[in-house]
C-alpha cells in the first residue's frame, strides 16, 4: 500500500484525503494551488517529501542533498495554511532540512 492508503486505513478513509504533490523530476508547480485548496479544510496535513530511485540509488549519487524538484516550494506553500504539519521524509540518503526544522509539528524519516 501507499503511504496515503496506510494512513487512511488507520485514520479512517472517510477522514483522510490524499493528493499527489509536485513531480520530483521537474520544476512544475502547477498543482500547488490545487493541493492548497484541498488541504485548507483539513485539521492536519501529512506532507510526504523526499527522493526516488531516479535521483539516487546504489552506485548513483546525487550532486547535493537538497529536496529535488519543487518540493521545498510546496513545503513553504503548505506552511502558509497555518495548520499542523507532519513532515514525512522518504529517502535513501540524507536530505537537507535547511529552513524546515522549526515549522512542522513533527518530522518522521
Amino acid at each position: 500500500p501507499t503511504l496515503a492508503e496506510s494512513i487512511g486505513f488507520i485514520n479512517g478513509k472517510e477522514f483522510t484525503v490524499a493528493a499527489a504533490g509536485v513531480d520530483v523530476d521537474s520544476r512544475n508547480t502547477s498543482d500547488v494551488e490545487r493541493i492548497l485548496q484541498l488541504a485548507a479544510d483539513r485539521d492536519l496535513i501529512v506532507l510526504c517529501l523526499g527522493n526516488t530511485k531516479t535521483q539516487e540509488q546504489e552506485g548513483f549519487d546525487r550532486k547535493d542533498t537538497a529536496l529535488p524538484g519543487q518540493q521545498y516550494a510546496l513545503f513553504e506553500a503548505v506552511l502558509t495554511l497555518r495548520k499542523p504539519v507532519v513532515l514525512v521524509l522518504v529517502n535513501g540518503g540524507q536530505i537537507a532540512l535547511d529552513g524546515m526544522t522549526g515549522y512542522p509539528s513533527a518530522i518522521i524519516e
Side-chain angles (χ1 to χ4, degrees):
T2 67
L3 286 171
E5 290 168 342
S6 297
I7 292 168
F9 179 75
I10 298 297
N11 189 49
K13 292 180 182 178
E14 68 273 14
F15 302 112
T16 305
V17 176
V22 294
D23 181 2
V24 298
D25 288 318
S26 78
R27 311 251 335 131
N28 184 358
T29 58
S30 62
D31 287 333
V32 170
E33 190 57 39
R34 177 187 56 80
I35 294 164
L36 293 178
Q37 289 173 358
L38 186 64
D41 294 334
R42 306 296 154 212
D43 296 327
L44 171 76
I45 299 166
V46 177
L47 183 62
C48 300
L49 304 176
N51 57 28
T52 66
K53 290 182 179 180
T54 63
Q55 287 95 28
E56 177 180 49
Q57 58 184 318
E58 190 68 36
F60 176 69
D61 294 328
R62 294 176 288 149
K63 295 178 183 174
D64 60 43
T65 59
L67 282 167
Q70 294 299 303
Q71 293 181 92
Y72 190 81
L74 174 60
F75 171 79
E76 288 184 317
V78 166
L79 291 182
T80 66
L81 298 173
R82 305 182 76 77
K83 303 271 185 171
V85 174
V86 174
L87 176 60
V88 178
L89 295 174
V90 180
N91 53 294
Q94 296 177 345
I95 295 284
L97 297 177
D98 300 343
M100 299 175 83
T101 58
Y103 303 104
S105 301
I107 299 174
I108 301 169
E109 183 177 31

